[in-house]
Protein backbone atom coordinates (compact mmCIF):
# COMPACT_ATOMS: atom_id res chain seq x y z
CA UNK A 1 0.00 0.00 0.00
CA UNK A 2 2.80 2.42 0.94
CA UNK A 3 4.46 1.99 -2.45
CA UNK A 4 1.19 1.88 -4.41
CA UNK A 5 0.58 5.36 -3.00
CA UNK A 6 4.05 6.31 -4.26
CA UNK A 7 4.98 7.86 -0.92
CA UNK A 8 8.62 6.95 -1.46
CA UNK A 9 8.69 9.06 -4.64
CA UNK A 10 7.10 12.05 -2.90
CA UNK A 11 9.63 12.01 -0.05
CA UNK A 12 12.63 11.38 -2.28
CA UNK A 13 11.66 14.27 -4.55
CA UNK A 14 11.07 16.66 -1.65
CA UNK A 15 14.39 15.78 -0.07
CA UNK A 16 16.38 16.13 -3.27
CA UNK A 17 17.53 19.67 -2.48
CA UNK A 18 17.74 19.19 1.27
CA UNK A 19 21.08 19.28 3.07
CA UNK A 20 20.00 16.60 5.55
CA UNK A 21 21.96 13.35 5.34
CA UNK A 22 19.22 10.96 6.53
CA UNK A 23 16.78 9.22 4.16
CA UNK A 24 13.32 10.64 4.94
CA UNK A 25 11.58 7.80 3.10
CA UNK A 26 13.32 5.12 5.20
CA UNK A 27 12.39 6.89 8.44
CA UNK A 28 8.81 7.54 7.30
CA UNK A 29 8.36 3.85 6.49
CA UNK A 30 9.66 2.86 9.91
CA UNK A 31 7.28 5.32 11.62
CA UNK A 32 4.24 4.26 9.59
CA UNK A 33 4.91 0.50 9.78
CA UNK A 34 5.57 0.77 13.52
CA UNK A 35 2.38 2.78 14.04
CA UNK A 36 0.39 0.09 12.26
CA UNK A 37 1.97 -3.01 13.77
CA UNK A 38 3.80 -2.11 16.99
CA UNK A 39 2.61 1.38 18.05
CA UNK A 40 4.90 3.05 20.57
CA UNK A 41 6.86 6.23 21.22
CA UNK A 42 9.29 7.48 18.59
CA UNK A 43 12.24 6.29 20.67
CA UNK A 44 10.76 2.80 21.18
CA UNK A 45 9.97 2.54 17.48
CA UNK A 46 13.53 3.56 16.68
CA UNK A 47 14.93 1.00 19.13
CA UNK A 48 12.83 -1.74 17.49
CA UNK A 49 13.53 -0.73 13.88
CA UNK A 50 15.20 -4.11 13.25
CA UNK A 51 11.66 -5.53 13.17
CA UNK A 52 11.59 -4.74 9.47
CA UNK A 53 13.78 -5.80 6.55
CA UNK A 54 14.56 -2.16 5.78
CA UNK A 55 17.58 0.12 6.16
CA UNK A 56 18.48 1.03 9.74
CA UNK A 57 21.44 3.34 9.15
CA UNK A 58 19.99 6.42 10.83
CA UNK A 59 20.14 7.79 14.36
CA UNK A 60 17.41 8.77 16.82
CA UNK A 61 18.41 12.39 16.23
CA UNK A 62 17.77 11.79 12.52
CA UNK A 63 14.26 10.61 13.38
CA UNK A 64 13.49 13.85 15.22
CA UNK A 65 15.05 15.94 12.45
CA UNK A 66 12.90 14.07 9.97
CA UNK A 67 9.77 14.98 11.95
CA UNK A 68 10.47 18.64 11.24
CA UNK A 69 10.95 17.81 7.55
CA UNK A 70 7.64 15.91 7.44
CA UNK A 71 5.82 18.80 9.08
CA UNK A 72 7.07 21.13 6.36
CA UNK A 73 5.49 18.95 3.66
CA UNK A 74 2.35 17.71 5.45
CA UNK A 75 -0.20 19.56 3.29
CA UNK A 76 1.39 18.59 -0.03
CA UNK A 77 1.71 14.99 1.13
CA UNK A 78 -2.04 14.86 1.82
CA UNK A 79 -2.75 16.22 -1.67
CA UNK A 80 -0.35 13.63 -3.15
CA UNK A 81 -2.13 10.86 -1.25
CA UNK A 82 -5.51 11.99 -2.50
CA UNK A 83 -4.35 12.09 -6.13
CA UNK A 84 -2.88 8.59 -5.92
CA UNK A 85 -5.92 7.17 -4.13
CA UNK A 86 -8.14 8.51 -6.93
CA UNK A 87 -5.78 7.09 -9.55
CA UNK A 88 -5.19 3.67 -7.97
CA UNK A 89 -8.42 2.85 -6.15
CA UNK A 90 -11.00 5.48 -7.07
CA UNK A 91 -12.60 7.88 -4.59
CA UNK A 92 -16.27 8.38 -3.87
CA UNK A 93 -16.59 11.97 -2.67
CA UNK A 94 -20.27 12.43 -3.46
CA UNK A 95 -20.52 12.55 0.33
CA UNK A 96 -17.75 13.73 2.62
CA UNK A 97 -17.95 13.21 6.36
CA UNK A 98 -16.50 15.59 8.93
CA UNK A 99 -15.95 15.23 12.64
CA UNK A 100 -13.65 16.46 15.39
CA UNK A 101 -11.89 14.65 18.20
CA UNK A 102 -9.00 15.46 20.49
CA UNK A 103 -5.85 13.76 21.76
CA UNK A 104 -4.25 14.23 25.14
CA UNK A 105 -0.59 14.64 26.09
CA UNK A 106 1.34 13.21 29.02
CA UNK A 107 2.02 16.61 30.54
CA UNK A 108 0.32 19.28 32.62
CA UNK A 109 2.09 22.17 30.90
CA UNK A 110 0.20 24.21 28.32
CA UNK A 111 1.57 25.98 25.25
CA UNK A 112 -0.05 28.06 22.53
CA UNK A 113 -0.93 24.75 20.83
CA UNK A 114 -1.38 22.31 23.72
CA UNK A 115 -4.35 23.72 25.57
CA UNK A 116 -6.81 22.44 28.12
CA UNK A 117 -10.24 22.19 26.58
CA UNK A 118 -13.32 20.00 26.45
CA UNK A 119 -11.69 16.56 26.37
CA UNK A 120 -13.69 13.81 24.65
CA UNK A 121 -12.21 11.43 27.22
CA UNK A 122 -12.87 13.78 30.16
CA UNK A 123 -9.18 14.09 31.00
CA UNK A 124 -7.56 17.12 32.64
CA UNK A 125 -4.45 16.97 30.39
CA UNK A 126 -3.74 19.50 27.63
CA UNK A 127 -5.13 18.42 24.25
CA UNK A 128 -5.02 19.19 20.54
CA UNK A 129 -8.12 19.17 18.34
CA UNK A 130 -8.20 17.22 15.08
CA UNK A 131 -10.76 17.83 12.35
CA UNK A 132 -10.94 14.97 9.84
CA UNK A 133 -12.65 14.66 6.45
CA UNK A 134 -13.41 11.19 5.11
CA UNK A 135 -14.91 9.99 1.82
CA UNK A 136 -17.97 7.80 1.29
CA UNK A 137 -15.83 4.63 1.45
CA UNK A 138 -14.36 5.48 4.83
CA UNK A 139 -10.95 6.49 3.42
CA UNK A 140 -9.50 9.67 4.98
CA UNK A 141 -9.15 12.72 2.70
CA UNK A 142 -7.47 15.33 4.87
CA UNK A 143 -7.14 16.53 8.44
CA UNK A 144 -6.03 19.61 10.33
CA UNK A 145 -4.89 20.20 13.90
CA UNK A 146 -6.07 23.06 16.10
CA UNK A 147 -5.21 24.28 19.62
CA UNK A 148 -6.98 22.25 22.28
CA UNK A 149 -9.29 25.08 23.36
CA UNK A 150 -10.71 25.60 19.84
CA UNK A 151 -14.48 25.21 19.65
CA UNK A 152 -15.42 22.25 17.41
CA UNK A 153 -17.58 24.36 15.10
CA UNK A 154 -14.68 26.73 14.34
CA UNK A 155 -12.59 23.90 12.84
CA UNK A 156 -15.00 23.18 9.98
CA UNK A 157 -14.55 26.21 7.72
CA UNK A 158 -10.71 26.16 7.57
CA UNK A 159 -10.76 22.46 6.74
CA UNK A 160 -13.61 22.72 4.25
CA UNK A 161 -12.03 25.73 2.56
CA UNK A 162 -8.77 23.86 2.14
CA UNK A 163 -10.40 20.69 0.82
CA UNK A 164 -12.28 22.70 -1.81
CA UNK A 165 -9.20 24.66 -2.84
CA UNK A 166 -6.62 21.86 -2.92
CA UNK A 167 -8.36 18.53 -3.57
CA UNK A 168 -10.42 19.00 -6.76
CA UNK A 169 -13.42 17.01 -5.53
CA UNK A 170 -16.18 18.74 -7.50
CA UNK A 171 -19.52 19.34 -5.79
CA UNK A 172 -19.78 17.55 -2.47
CA UNK A 173 -22.39 17.05 0.23
CA UNK A 174 -20.84 17.56 3.64
CA UNK A 175 -22.23 15.41 6.45
CA UNK A 176 -21.59 16.37 10.06
CA UNK A 177 -23.02 16.20 13.56
CA UNK A 178 -24.77 18.97 15.45
CA UNK A 179 -21.48 20.45 16.67
CA UNK A 180 -20.96 21.88 13.15
CA UNK A 181 -24.48 23.24 12.75
CA UNK A 182 -23.91 26.97 12.82
CA UNK A 183 -25.12 29.68 10.47
CA UNK A 184 -21.55 30.45 9.44
CA UNK A 185 -20.79 26.83 8.51
CA UNK A 186 -24.01 26.40 6.54
CA UNK A 187 -23.61 29.70 4.66
CA UNK A 188 -19.96 28.94 3.88
CA UNK A 189 -20.83 25.49 2.49
CA UNK A 190 -23.59 26.54 0.11
CA UNK A 191 -21.80 29.63 -1.19
CA UNK A 192 -18.77 27.93 -2.73
CA UNK A 193 -18.39 28.15 -6.54
CA UNK A 194 -19.80 24.58 -6.80
CA UNK A 195 -22.69 25.36 -4.39
CA UNK A 196 -21.97 22.42 -2.17
CA UNK A 197 -24.58 20.74 -0.02
CA UNK A 198 -24.89 19.66 3.58
CA UNK A 199 -26.61 17.21 5.87
CA UNK A 200 -26.17 18.44 9.45
CA UNK A 201 -27.98 17.25 12.55
CA UNK A 202 -29.60 19.79 14.85
CA UNK A 203 -29.99 19.87 18.61
CA UNK A 204 -33.75 19.79 19.12
CA UNK A 205 -33.49 20.49 22.84
CA UNK A 206 -31.71 23.77 22.15
CA UNK A 207 -33.93 24.74 19.21
CA UNK A 208 -36.58 27.44 19.10
CA UNK A 209 -40.15 26.62 20.14
CA UNK A 210 -41.51 26.36 16.57
CA UNK A 211 -38.99 23.58 15.80
CA UNK A 212 -39.88 21.67 18.98
CA UNK A 213 -43.59 22.04 18.24
CA UNK A 214 -43.08 20.63 14.74
CA UNK A 215 -41.10 17.68 16.08
CA UNK A 216 -43.70 16.82 18.74
CA UNK A 217 -46.72 17.33 16.47
CA UNK A 218 -47.61 13.75 15.52
CA UNK A 219 -49.38 14.66 12.29
CA UNK A 220 -47.33 13.75 9.22
CA UNK A 221 -45.20 10.99 10.73
CA UNK A 222 -44.96 7.77 8.75
CA UNK A 223 -44.40 4.68 10.83
CA UNK A 224 -41.99 2.03 9.54
CA UNK A 225 -42.79 -0.89 11.82
CA UNK A 226 -43.66 -0.09 15.43
CA UNK A 227 -40.29 1.26 16.60
CA UNK A 228 -39.44 3.91 14.03
CA UNK A 229 -41.16 6.87 12.36
CA UNK A 230 -40.14 9.86 10.25
CA UNK A 231 -41.47 12.96 8.52
CA UNK A 232 -40.10 16.01 6.73
CA UNK A 233 -40.94 19.47 5.49
CA UNK A 234 -39.37 22.06 3.23
CA UNK A 235 -39.05 25.24 5.20
CA UNK A 236 -37.03 28.44 4.89
CA UNK A 237 -35.00 29.17 8.01
CA UNK A 238 -33.26 32.32 9.23
CA UNK A 239 -29.65 31.84 10.28
CA UNK A 240 -27.10 34.14 11.89
CA UNK A 241 -23.99 34.72 9.74
CA UNK A 242 -20.85 36.63 10.72
CA UNK A 243 -20.05 39.60 8.50
CA UNK A 244 -16.49 40.68 7.65
CA UNK A 245 -16.62 43.07 10.60
CA UNK A 246 -17.71 40.26 12.91
CA UNK A 247 -21.23 41.55 13.30
CA UNK A 248 -24.01 38.96 13.00
CA UNK A 249 -26.38 39.43 10.10
CA UNK A 250 -29.53 37.47 9.25
CA UNK A 251 -29.65 35.28 6.15
CA UNK A 252 -32.39 32.99 4.93
CA UNK A 253 -31.70 29.47 3.65
CA UNK A 254 -34.12 27.08 1.99
CA UNK A 255 -33.85 23.76 3.78
CA UNK A 256 -35.43 20.40 4.08
CA UNK A 257 -35.92 19.34 7.69
CA UNK A 258 -36.09 15.59 8.27
CA UNK A 259 -37.20 14.31 11.67
CA UNK A 260 -37.07 10.71 12.81
CA UNK A 261 -37.83 8.92 16.06
CA UNK A 262 -36.33 5.64 17.18
CA UNK A 263 -37.55 3.67 20.18
CA UNK A 264 -34.01 2.33 20.67
CA UNK A 265 -32.60 5.86 20.88
CA UNK A 266 -35.42 6.92 23.21
CA UNK A 267 -34.68 4.08 25.64
CA UNK A 268 -30.97 4.89 25.57
CA UNK A 269 -31.56 8.59 26.32
CA UNK A 270 -33.85 7.70 29.23
CA UNK A 271 -31.34 5.23 30.67
CA UNK A 272 -28.49 7.77 30.45
CA UNK A 273 -30.55 10.44 32.21
CA UNK A 274 -31.64 8.06 34.98
CA UNK A 275 -28.03 6.97 35.50
CA UNK A 276 -26.96 10.61 35.85
CA UNK A 277 -29.79 11.42 38.26
CA UNK A 278 -28.95 8.37 40.38
CA UNK A 279 -25.60 9.96 41.25
CA UNK A 280 -25.16 12.64 43.89
CA UNK A 281 -25.40 15.97 42.02
CA UNK A 282 -23.49 17.65 44.84
CA UNK A 283 -20.35 15.97 43.59
CA UNK A 284 -20.69 17.44 40.10
CA UNK A 285 -18.57 20.28 38.79
CA UNK A 286 -19.25 22.81 36.06
CA UNK A 287 -16.97 20.80 33.74
CA UNK A 288 -19.32 17.81 33.93
CA UNK A 289 -22.64 19.59 34.30
CA UNK A 290 -23.98 17.59 31.37
CA UNK A 291 -24.78 15.05 34.14
CA UNK A 292 -27.33 15.45 36.91
CA UNK A 293 -26.29 19.02 37.68
CA UNK A 294 -28.11 20.37 34.62
CA UNK A 295 -31.40 19.26 36.18
CA UNK A 296 -30.76 21.18 39.41
CA UNK A 297 -32.35 24.63 39.90
CA UNK A 298 -30.25 27.68 40.79
CA UNK A 299 -26.84 26.02 40.95
CA UNK A 300 -23.87 28.11 42.11
CA UNK A 301 -20.32 27.00 41.33
CA UNK A 302 -17.06 27.70 43.14
CA UNK A 303 -15.02 29.90 40.78
CA UNK A 304 -11.76 28.16 41.69
CA UNK A 305 -12.74 24.47 41.77
CA UNK A 306 -15.86 24.53 39.61
CA UNK A 307 -17.69 22.45 42.22
CA UNK A 308 -21.32 23.03 43.18
CA UNK A 309 -21.60 25.28 46.23
CA UNK A 310 -25.22 24.40 47.01
CA UNK A 311 -25.47 21.75 49.72
CA UNK A 312 -26.61 18.44 48.26
CA UNK A 313 -29.31 18.07 50.92
CA UNK A 314 -31.23 21.08 49.59
CA UNK A 315 -30.71 20.57 45.87
CA UNK A 316 -33.95 21.32 44.03
CA UNK A 317 -34.44 19.00 41.03
CA UNK A 318 -36.12 20.69 38.05
CA UNK A 319 -38.90 18.19 37.35
CA UNK A 320 -40.37 20.37 34.59
CA UNK A 321 -37.07 20.35 32.70
CA UNK A 322 -36.86 16.57 33.05
CA UNK A 323 -40.37 16.15 31.62
CA UNK A 324 -39.50 18.49 28.75
CA UNK A 325 -36.44 16.43 27.87
CA UNK A 326 -38.30 13.13 28.20
CA UNK A 327 -40.79 14.28 25.58
CA UNK A 328 -37.93 14.71 23.07
CA UNK A 329 -36.18 11.40 23.81
CA UNK A 330 -35.46 9.45 20.63
CA UNK A 331 -36.09 12.34 18.21
CA UNK A 332 -33.44 13.55 15.76
CA UNK A 333 -33.63 16.40 13.27
CA UNK A 334 -31.50 16.65 10.14
CA UNK A 335 -31.12 19.86 8.16
CA UNK A 336 -30.20 19.56 4.49
CA UNK A 337 -29.77 21.61 1.35
CA UNK A 338 -30.76 18.58 -0.75
CA UNK A 339 -34.42 19.47 -1.19
CA UNK A 340 -35.34 16.68 -3.64
CA UNK A 341 -33.47 13.83 -1.94
CA UNK A 342 -35.77 11.36 -0.17
CA UNK A 343 -36.05 11.28 3.60
CA UNK A 344 -34.61 7.77 3.80
CA UNK A 345 -31.60 8.73 1.68
CA UNK A 346 -30.91 11.77 3.88
CA UNK A 347 -31.10 9.60 7.01
CA UNK A 348 -28.79 7.00 5.44
CA UNK A 349 -26.29 9.76 4.56
CA UNK A 350 -26.25 10.91 8.18
CA UNK A 351 -25.88 7.40 9.56
CA UNK A 352 -22.67 7.09 7.54
CA UNK A 353 -21.00 9.24 10.22
CA UNK A 354 -20.23 6.02 12.11
CA UNK A 355 -17.36 5.48 9.63
CA UNK A 356 -15.51 8.55 10.86
CA UNK A 357 -16.32 7.86 14.51
CA UNK A 358 -14.89 4.36 14.03
CA UNK A 359 -11.74 5.84 12.46
CA UNK A 360 -11.15 8.00 15.54
CA UNK A 361 -11.50 4.86 17.68
CA UNK A 362 -8.96 3.08 15.46
CA UNK A 363 -6.41 5.90 15.83
CA UNK A 364 -6.84 5.91 19.61
CA UNK A 365 -6.87 2.14 20.14
CA UNK A 366 -5.13 0.11 17.40
CA UNK A 367 -2.79 2.94 16.33
CA UNK A 368 -2.35 4.30 19.88
CA UNK A 369 -2.10 7.88 18.62
CA UNK A 370 -2.44 9.10 22.21
CA UNK A 371 -1.09 9.90 24.69
CA UNK A 372 1.37 11.97 22.66
CA UNK A 373 5.00 12.13 23.82
CA UNK A 374 6.47 14.77 21.49
CA UNK A 375 6.26 18.45 22.41
CA UNK A 376 7.47 20.88 19.67
CA UNK A 377 4.59 21.84 17.39
CA UNK A 378 6.32 20.59 14.24
CA UNK A 379 6.91 17.19 15.89
CA UNK A 380 3.27 16.99 16.98
CA UNK A 381 2.15 17.78 13.43
CA UNK A 382 4.47 15.08 12.02
CA UNK A 383 3.26 12.53 14.60
CA UNK A 384 -0.33 12.96 13.42
CA UNK A 385 0.76 12.93 9.79
CA UNK A 386 2.22 9.44 10.29
CA UNK A 387 -0.99 8.41 12.08
CA UNK A 388 -3.04 9.77 9.15
CA UNK A 389 -0.94 7.86 6.60
CA UNK A 390 -1.18 4.69 8.70
CA UNK A 391 -4.97 5.03 9.00
CA UNK A 392 -5.28 5.63 5.25
CA UNK A 393 -3.26 2.50 4.43
CA UNK A 394 -5.28 0.43 6.91
CA UNK A 395 -8.57 1.65 5.42
CA UNK A 396 -7.44 0.87 1.87
CA UNK A 397 -6.46 -2.64 2.90
CA UNK A 398 -9.74 -3.08 4.76
CA UNK A 399 -11.62 -2.10 1.59
CA UNK A 400 -9.49 -4.41 -0.57
CA UNK A 401 -10.60 -7.20 1.75
CA UNK A 402 -14.22 -6.06 1.19
CA UNK A 403 -14.58 -5.19 4.90
CA UNK A 404 -14.51 -8.86 5.81
CA UNK A 405 -12.33 -8.05 8.83
CA UNK A 406 -12.01 -5.09 11.16
CA UNK A 407 -8.83 -3.02 11.07
CA UNK A 408 -7.96 -4.35 14.52
CA UNK A 409 -8.17 -7.95 13.29
CA UNK A 410 -6.12 -7.17 10.16
CA UNK A 411 -3.33 -5.47 12.10
CA UNK A 412 -3.23 -8.15 14.77
CA UNK A 413 -2.61 -10.86 12.17
CA UNK A 414 -0.03 -8.77 10.31
CA UNK A 415 1.86 -8.04 13.53
CA UNK A 416 2.15 -11.80 14.11
CA UNK A 417 3.56 -12.46 10.63
CA UNK A 418 7.09 -12.40 12.03
CA UNK A 419 10.04 -14.65 11.39
CA UNK A 420 13.06 -16.00 13.24
CA UNK A 421 16.55 -16.62 11.87
CA UNK A 422 17.03 -20.39 12.15
CA UNK A 423 20.38 -20.65 10.39
CA UNK A 424 22.46 -18.49 8.11
CA UNK A 425 20.18 -16.78 5.55
CA UNK A 426 17.17 -18.99 6.43
CA UNK A 427 14.12 -17.61 8.25
CA UNK A 428 11.15 -19.43 9.82
CA UNK A 429 7.68 -17.84 9.57
CA UNK A 430 5.62 -19.63 12.22
CA UNK A 431 2.23 -17.86 12.09
CA UNK A 432 -0.50 -18.14 9.49
CA UNK A 433 -4.26 -17.69 9.60
CA UNK A 434 -7.28 -16.96 7.40
CA UNK A 435 -6.72 -13.21 7.61
CA UNK A 436 -3.17 -13.51 6.26
CA UNK A 437 -4.42 -15.90 3.61
CA UNK A 438 -6.92 -13.29 2.38
CA UNK A 439 -4.36 -10.47 2.63
CA UNK A 440 -2.00 -12.61 0.56
CA UNK A 441 -4.71 -13.06 -2.05
CA UNK A 442 -5.23 -9.31 -2.56
CA UNK A 443 -1.51 -8.42 -2.35
CA UNK A 444 -0.10 -11.44 -4.22
CA UNK A 445 2.14 -12.38 -1.28
CA UNK A 446 2.22 -15.96 0.00
CA UNK A 447 2.11 -15.61 3.79
CA UNK A 448 1.77 -19.37 4.16
CA UNK A 449 5.34 -20.19 3.17
CA UNK A 450 7.15 -21.20 6.37
CA UNK A 451 10.80 -21.14 5.28
CA UNK A 452 12.32 -18.35 3.23
CA UNK A 453 15.87 -17.37 2.43
CA UNK A 454 16.99 -13.76 2.84
CA UNK A 455 17.15 -13.56 -0.97
CA UNK A 456 13.50 -14.64 -1.28
CA UNK A 457 12.45 -12.09 1.32
CA UNK A 458 14.27 -9.34 -0.56
CA UNK A 459 12.53 -10.42 -3.78
CA UNK A 460 9.13 -10.02 -2.07
CA UNK A 461 10.15 -6.54 -0.88
CA UNK A 462 11.47 -5.59 -4.31
CA UNK A 463 8.21 -6.70 -5.93
CA UNK A 464 6.10 -4.57 -3.58
CA UNK A 465 8.27 -1.51 -4.28
CA UNK A 466 7.79 -1.54 -8.05
Amino acid sequence: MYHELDLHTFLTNRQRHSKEQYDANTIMKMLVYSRLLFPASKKSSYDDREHFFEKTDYSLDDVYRCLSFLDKHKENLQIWLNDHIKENYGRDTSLIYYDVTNYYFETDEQTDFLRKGVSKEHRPNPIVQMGLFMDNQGIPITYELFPGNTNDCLTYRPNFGRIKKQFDLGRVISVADKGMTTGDNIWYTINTPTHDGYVFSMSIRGAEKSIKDYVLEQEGYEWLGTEYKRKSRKSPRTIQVSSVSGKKIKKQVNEKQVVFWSEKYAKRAKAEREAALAKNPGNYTRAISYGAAKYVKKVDYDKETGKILTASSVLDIDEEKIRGEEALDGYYMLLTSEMETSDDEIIDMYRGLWKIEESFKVTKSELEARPVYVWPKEHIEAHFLTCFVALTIARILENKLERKYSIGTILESLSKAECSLIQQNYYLFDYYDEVLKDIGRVTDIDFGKRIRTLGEIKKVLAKTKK
Side-chain angles (χ1 to χ4, degrees):
M1 307 294 109
Y2 184 97
H3 288 275
E4 280 181 0
L5 293 168
D6 222 10
L7 285 163
H8 57 298
T9 301
F10 174 88
L11 292 167
T12 300
N13 289 345
R14 292 305 185 282
Q15 200 180 11
R16 187 160 288 154
H17 304 294
S18 169
K19 295 179 181 179
E20 299 287 2
Q21 298 302 307
Y22 59 79
D23 183 340
N25 175 53
T26 298
I27 294 175
M28 180 65 155
K29 279 198 284 188
M30 181 274 290
L31 292 172
V32 171
Y33 299 172
S34 297
R35 184 59 50 189
L36 284 163
L37 302 179
F38 313 106
S41 68
K42 302 294 176 285
K43 184 180 184 305
S44 294
S45 297
Y46 169 79
D47 290 342
D48 293 335
R49 65 195 185 284
E50 299 285 350
H51 257 127
F52 312 110
F53 286 93
E54 300 283 350
K55 295 177 184 177
T56 58
D57 56 343
Y58 50 89
S59 68
L60 182 58
D61 285 341
D62 287 334
V63 173
Y64 289 114
R65 292 187 193 102
C66 186
L67 293 178
S68 299
F69 171 83
L70 294 174
D71 169 55
K72 189 186 304 182
H73 298 288
K74 63 182 183 291
E75 284 195 12
N76 286 329
L77 190 144
Q78 291 175 61
I79 296 168
W80 178 278
L81 269 177
N82 176 65
D83 291 343
H84 283 73
I85 288 168
K86 286 200 292 187
E87 181 182 337
N88 292 341
Y89 316 112
R91 256 215 204 274
D92 179 0
T93 53
S94 54
L95 298 175
I96 58 173
Y97 293 92
Y98 185 74
D99 203 356
V100 179
T101 194
N102 43 56
Y103 299 86
Y104 71 89
F105 288 68
E106 283 289 7
T107 181
D108 291 324
E109 294 183 19
Q110 298 187 76
T111 67
D112 290 342
F113 197 49
L114 307 186
R115 305 295 298 177
K116 292 187 178 181
V118 181
S119 169
K120 308 285 185 186
E121 298 170 82
H122 313 301
R123 288 180 172 271
N125 313 60
I127 56 176
V128 293
Q129 295 275 72
M130 174 190 278
L132 176 70
F133 269 110
M134 182 168 285
D135 71 16
N136 205 19
Q137 297 168 298
I139 300 175
I141 304 172
T142 190
Y143 74 95
E144 193 162 343
L145 298 182
F146 300 87
N149 59 351
T150 307
N151 191 305
D152 285 7
C153 67
L154 298 179
T155 69
Y156 174 81
R157 272 168 287 148
N159 252 331
F160 190 76
R162 195 163 57 80
I163 207 173
K164 292 299 298 181
K165 181 180 179 181
Q166 298 177 340
F167 287 79
D168 188 29
L169 302 181
R171 185 181 189 269
V172 298
I173 299 171
S174 191
V175 184
D177 225 330
K178 59 189 176 185
M180 302 304 130
T181 311
T182 66
D184 285 339
N185 287 345
I186 287 172
W187 195 250
Y188 189 86
T189 302
I190 61 177
N191 282 287
T192 57
T194 48
H195 300 292
D196 297 294
Y198 63 90
V199 176
F200 291 165
S201 66
M202 182 182 195
S203 172
I204 301 173
R205 288 185 169 87
E208 58 190 53
K209 185 176 182 298
S210 62
I211 295 285
K212 292 179 181 177
D213 290 344
Y214 173 69
V215 169
L216 294 174
E217 171 56 56
Q218 295 307 298
E219 184 180 348
Y221 277 106
E222 180 181 354
W223 283 90
L224 302 174
T226 59
E227 301 174 350
Y228 181 80
K229 62 185 177 182
R230 49 135 171 82
K231 70 175 179 178
S232 68
R233 68 179 180 182
K234 295 176 182 178
S235 174
R237 188 168 65 92
T238 301
I239 60 175
Q240 298 282 337
V241 178
S242 301
S243 65
V244 177
S245 65
K247 183 180 177 182
K248 291 290 185 180
I249 54 178
K250 291 182 179 180
K251 296 284 186 178
Q252 191 174 78
V253 291
N254 292 317
E255 281 182 333
K256 185 177 185 180
Q257 299 170 353
V258 181
V259 184
F260 65 93
W261 178 87
S262 162
E263 184 178 51
K264 180 177 74 173
Y265 293 155
K267 287 179 177 178
R268 185 172 69 187
K270 182 179 180 181
E272 288 174 351
R273 182 171 50 253
E274 289 177 347
L277 286 167
K279 297 176 182 178
N280 176 11
N283 292 331
Y284 278 74
T285 66
R286 182 183 294 274
I288 54 172
S289 61
Y290 59 84
K294 71 176 181 178
Y295 301 114
V296 179
K297 293 180 179 178
K298 297 178 181 177
V299 176
D300 294 320
Y301 295 92
D302 184 292
K303 290 183 179 179
E304 295 296 322
T305 66
K307 288 189 175 182
I308 293 176
L309 292 174
T310 314
S312 59
S313 60
V314 294
L315 287 175
D316 187 5
I317 301 298
D318 192 336
E319 298 290 347
E320 185 179 345
K321 184 171 185 178
I322 291 174
R323 286 194 297 273
E325 293 217 351
E326 282 178 340
L328 294 169
D329 284 352
Y331 285 98
Y332 282 77
M333 174 173 273
L334 305 179
L335 308 175
T336 182
S337 57
E338 308 309 289
M339 307 289 276
E340 305 308 319
T341 304
S342 73
D343 296 355
D344 289 337
E345 286 180 279
I346 295 298
I347 293 168
D348 282 344
M349 289 177 184
Y350 177 72
R351 284 180 173 155
L353 270 174
W354 71 267
K355 298 172 188 173
I356 201 164
E357 291 165 359
E358 182 196 50
S359 289
F360 284 144
K361 289 178 183 176
V362 167
T363 64
K364 292 181 179 183
S365 53
E366 280 80 10
L367 304 186
E368 296 182 22
R370 89 302 182 240
V372 186
Y373 296 100
V374 289
W375 316 119
K377 184 176 184 293
E378 62 267 25
H379 291 182
I380 294 168
E381 292 278 8
H383 166 73
F384 284 104
L385 178 66
T386 61
C387 292
F388 176 81
V389 172
L391 175 64
T392 301
I393 289 172
R395 278 294 193 203
I396 291 169
L397 184 52
E398 181 189 36
N399 285 348
K400 278 190 174 233
L401 294 168
E402 299 177 337
R403 293 187 171 270
K404 184 177 179 181
Y405 308 104
S406 70
I407 287 178
T409 300
I410 292 168
L411 298 183
E412 182 180 6
S413 289
L414 283 171
S415 68
K416 292 177 180 177
E418 296 185 295
C419 62
S420 304
L421 179 63
I422 50 176
Q423 64 183 63
Q424 189 175 11
N425 285 336
Y426 283 89
Y427 291 82
L428 171 66
F429 292 81
D430 56 4
Y431 183 82
Y432 188 58
D433 62 11
E434 283 298 311
V435 182
L436 291 175
K437 182 179 179 181
D438 285 341
I439 294 172
R441 176 176 49 80
V442 299
T443 59
D444 192 27
I445 296 172
D446 181 8
F447 285 93
K449 189 169 183 180
R450 287 175 58 80
I451 305 291
R452 276 195 171 98
T453 65
L454 181 59
E456 288 173 324
I457 292 169
K458 286 183 175 180
K459 280 183 181 178
V460 172
L461 291 176
K463 182 175 71 172
T464 62
K465 293 175 182 178
K466 287 182 180 178

